[in-house]
Amino acid sequence: MKLINNYIPLVFLFVLVSCNSQNTKSNSASLKDNFKGDFYIGTALSADQIEQKDAKVDELIRKEFNAITAENIMKSMFVHPLKNKYDFAMTDKFVAYGEKNKMFIHGHTLIWHSQLAPWMSEIKDSIEMKAFMKDHITTIVSKYKGKINSWDVVNEALNDDGTLRKSVFLNTLGKSYLVDAFKLAAKADPKVDLYYNDYNICEPKKREGAIELVKNIKANGGKIDGIGIQGHWRLESPSLEEIEKSILAYSALGLKVAFTELDITVLPNPWDLKGADVNQKFEGSAKMNPYPKTLPDSIQTKLADRYAAIFKIFLKHKDKISRVTFWGVHDGQSWLNDWPIKGRTNYPLLFDTKLKPKKAYISVMQLKENKK
Ligand code: G3I
């Protein structure tokens, strides 16, 4: 009996130590290590995150991700606010952050109709637009030559039906602006990977448009290395079949496939209700913001299952996929809390507002852990 009593504290100590070591094991696991050799795991960074304003968020970023995209600060309105003025203060910090942490650095974005500086939207003729594009692309790409690893050269040039969007670029230059942009970027940094980036391009019609766009760039002597499928998705759509078809179709064009802005909304979509006047009708509506405090476990599980199913496809085609980037680090910072209706509480990412890994994180991690 005495002998047993002597052993009890020892057994207790052993259990304690082994529990702790398991905790340490799972605490030290990370997305970037788990998918090492498959594809980069990236995140979009806000200005505050680039400036490392919150030490805990910063620790999480450095632990989990090995690729970064600036969520906003590299867009035209911030980096090129006036015709003769560039502002590289924040972009320099962004690139330095990536270099310091040995991360893959993605540039977002050079030519996009949105978040333009006001003077850019006012350009009316082709000569001025050509001069703008040459100056803008050459200056920015040359500045970060050899530092930025890939660029979204053109962002969102397509409508949902696959036709070209009537942007200030199309209106002044016609569709040749697309190939011009890629040629200018390649000239400024011949080694950097150049991407076309867009949303909904897993949908059949828009996918056809994107394929045409890529073929057109190539046929006219432009260098294009990859396609960025943004991946602003829903629990129900796009279907896994369309995602897989898209990976295969884009890769068949000789392109690297990147998932560049992944997030999954769990909230009702105002466009599902016919004739909805999105913002005015639904701002403050409890029906459209059903989980203001916490996400019910059943939906948490749905989100986890959806993420796992998507990552299963990514792993199946890892030879074609260069990078999977989430559009934000944690739910609290997601643009989906304010779009398409302001002030909602959404849960689209793998970490919650308290920076804790969600069920979705575990389900994605387990895809690899089970195989080890
Ligand atoms: O810069 C102003 C700041 O001065 C002001 O104090 C603040 C007050 O709200 O607004 C700031 O501008 C915001 C900007 O982000 C920078 O933070 C805009 O209101 C806000 O609308 C803007 O939203 C961004 C959006 O692009 C703009 O279109 C989102 O954060 C960003 O996540 C989102 O990202 C885009 C990708 O670049 C391209 N693909 C779609 C994706 C989601 O829309």
Coordinates of all heavy atoms in Angstrom, one line a residue, residues 2-3 14 27-28 59 73 97 100 118 131 142 148 160 165 179 181 193 196 210 213 239 245-246 251 330 368:
K2 N 2.0 1.2 0.9 CA 2.9 2.3 1.0 C 3.5 2.6 -0.4 O 3.7 3.7 -0.9 CB 3.9 2.0 2.1 CG 4.6 3.3 2.5 CD 5.5 3.1 3.7 CE 6.3 4.3 3.9 NZ 7.7 4.1 4.1
L3 N 3.9 1.4 -1.0 CA 4.6 1.5 -2.3 C 3.7 2.3 -3.3 O 4.1 3.2 -4.0 CB 4.8 0.1 -2.8 CG 5.9 0.0 -3.9 CD1 7.3 0.3 -3.2 CD2 6.0 -1.4 -4.4
F14 N 3.7 12.5 -14.2 CA 3.9 12.0 -15.6 C 2.7 12.4 -16.5 O 2.9 12.9 -17.6 CB 3.9 10.4 -15.6 CG 4.0 9.8 -17.0 CD1 5.1 9.9 -17.7 CD2 2.8 9.3 -17.5 CE1 5.2 9.4 -19.0 CE2 2.9 8.8 -18.8 CZ 4.0 8.8 -19.5
N27 N 0.2 23.5 -29.9 CA 0.4 24.9 -29.9 C 1.5 25.3 -30.8 O 1.5 26.5 -31.4 CB 0.8 25.4 -28.5 CG -0.4 25.5 -27.6 OD1 -1.6 25.4 -28.1 ND2 -0.3 25.6 -26.3
S28 N 2.5 24.4 -31.1 CA 3.6 24.8 -31.9 C 3.2 24.5 -33.4 O 3.9 25.0 -34.3 CB 4.9 24.1 -31.5 OG 4.7 22.8 -31.8
E59 N 2.3 38.2 -33.3 CA 2.9 36.8 -33.0 C 2.1 35.8 -33.8 O 2.7 34.8 -34.4 CB 2.7 36.6 -31.5 CG 3.5 35.4 -31.0 CD 3.1 35.2 -29.5 OE1 2.9 36.1 -28.8 OE2 3.1 34.0 -29.1
I73 N -3.0 49.2 -48.4 CA -2.0 50.3 -48.6 C -1.2 50.3 -49.9 O -0.5 51.3 -50.1 CB -1.0 50.3 -47.4 CG1 -0.3 49.0 -47.2 CG2 -1.7 50.7 -46.1 CD1 1.0 48.9 -47.7
Y97 N 8.7 44.3 -43.5 CA 8.1 43.3 -42.6 C 8.2 41.9 -43.2 O 8.6 40.9 -42.6 CB 6.6 43.6 -42.4 CG 5.9 42.7 -41.4 CD1 5.9 42.9 -40.0 CD2 5.2 41.5 -41.9 CE1 5.3 42.0 -39.2 CE2 4.6 40.7 -41.0 CZ 4.6 40.9 -39.7 OH 4.0 40.1 -38.8
K100 N 11.9 40.8 -43.3 CA 12.4 40.5 -42.0 C 12.0 39.1 -41.5 O 12.7 38.3 -40.9 CB 11.9 41.5 -41.0 CG 12.6 41.4 -39.6 CD 12.2 42.6 -38.7 CE 11.5 42.1 -37.5 NZ 10.6 43.0 -36.9
P118 N -8.4 60.2 -56.9 CA -9.4 61.0 -57.7 C -8.9 61.4 -59.1 O -9.5 61.4 -60.1 CB -9.7 62.2 -56.8 CG -9.4 61.7 -55.4 CD -8.3 60.7 -55.5
A131 N 0.4 57.3 -70.5 CA 1.5 57.9 -69.7 C 1.3 57.5 -68.2 O 2.3 57.1 -67.5 CB 1.4 59.4 -69.8
S142 N 9.6 48.6 -60.4 CA 11.0 48.8 -60.4 C 11.5 49.0 -58.9 O 12.5 48.5 -58.5 CB 11.5 50.0 -61.2 OG 10.9 50.0 -62.4
I148 N 9.6 42.1 -54.1 CA 8.2 41.6 -54.2 C 8.2 40.4 -55.1 O 8.8 40.4 -56.2 CB 7.3 42.7 -54.7 CG1 7.0 43.7 -53.5 CG2 6.0 42.1 -55.3 CD1 5.9 44.6 -53.7
D160 N -19.5 39.9 -64.3 CA -19.9 38.6 -64.0 C -20.3 37.7 -65.2 O -20.2 36.5 -65.1 CB -21.0 38.5 -62.9 CG -20.5 38.7 -61.5 OD1 -19.3 38.5 -61.3 OD2 -21.3 38.9 -60.6
R165 N -15.2 44.8 -68.1 CA -15.8 45.9 -67.3 C -15.5 47.2 -67.9 O -14.4 47.5 -68.3 CB -15.2 45.8 -65.9 CG -15.8 46.8 -64.9 CD -14.8 46.9 -63.7 NE -14.9 45.6 -62.9 CZ -15.8 45.4 -61.9 NH1 -16.7 46.3 -61.6 NH2 -15.8 44.3 -61.2
V179 N -2.9 43.9 -72.1 CA -1.6 43.4 -72.4 C -0.5 44.4 -72.1 O 0.6 44.1 -71.7 CB -1.6 42.9 -73.9 CG1 -1.8 44.0 -74.9 CG2 -0.3 42.2 -74.2
A181 N -0.4 46.5 -69.7 CA -0.1 46.5 -68.3 C 0.9 45.3 -68.0 O 1.9 45.5 -67.2 CB -1.4 46.3 -67.4
D193 N 6.7 37.2 -60.7 CA 5.5 36.5 -61.3 C 4.3 37.5 -61.4 O 4.0 38.2 -60.5 CB 5.1 35.3 -60.3 CG 5.8 34.0 -60.7 OD1 6.5 34.0 -61.7 OD2 5.7 33.1 -59.9
Y196 N -3.2 37.8 -63.0 CA -4.5 38.4 -63.2 C -5.4 37.9 -62.0 O -5.4 36.7 -61.8 CB -5.2 38.1 -64.5 CG -6.6 38.6 -64.6 CD1 -6.8 40.0 -64.7 CD2 -7.7 37.8 -64.4 CE1 -8.1 40.5 -64.6 CE2 -9.0 38.3 -64.4 CZ -9.2 39.7 -64.5 OH -10.4 40.2 -64.4
A210 N -12.4 35.0 -68.2 CA -11.0 35.0 -67.7 C -10.0 34.2 -68.6 O -8.9 34.7 -68.9 CB -10.9 34.5 -66.3
L213 N -9.4 36.3 -71.6 CA -8.5 37.4 -71.2 C -7.0 37.0 -71.2 O -6.2 37.6 -71.7 CB -9.0 37.9 -69.9 CG -8.3 39.1 -69.2 CD1 -9.3 39.9 -68.4 CD2 -7.1 38.7 -68.4
S239 N -19.6 25.5 -56.1 CA -19.6 24.1 -55.8 C -18.1 23.6 -55.9 O -17.3 24.2 -56.5 CB -20.4 23.3 -56.8 OG -19.8 23.4 -58.0
K245 N -12.8 22.3 -61.4 CA -12.8 22.6 -62.9 C -11.9 23.8 -63.1 O -11.2 23.9 -64.1 CB -14.2 22.9 -63.4 CG -14.9 21.7 -63.9 CD -16.2 22.2 -64.6 CE -17.2 21.1 -64.8 NZ -18.5 21.7 -65.2
S246 N -12.1 24.8 -62.3 CA -11.3 26.1 -62.5 C -9.8 25.9 -62.3 O -9.1 26.3 -63.1 CB -11.8 27.1 -61.5 OG -13.2 27.3 -61.6
S251 N -4.9 26.0 -65.0 CA -3.6 25.4 -65.1 C -3.3 24.9 -66.5 O -2.1 24.9 -66.9 CB -3.6 24.3 -64.0 OG -2.6 23.4 -64.3
H330 N -8.0 37.5 -38.7 CA -9.0 37.0 -37.8 C -10.4 37.7 -38.1 O -10.4 38.7 -38.7 CB -8.6 37.3 -36.3 CG -8.4 38.8 -36.0 ND1 -9.5 39.6 -35.7 CD2 -7.3 39.6 -36.1 CE1 -9.0 40.8 -35.5 NE2 -7.7 40.8 -35.8
K368 N -3.9 17.3 -42.9 CA -2.5 16.9 -43.1 C -2.0 16.1 -41.9 O -1.3 15.1 -42.0 CB -1.6 18.1 -43.1 CG -1.7 19.0 -44.4 CD -1.0 18.3 -45.6 CE 0.5 18.3 -45.4 NZ 1.1 18.1 -46.7

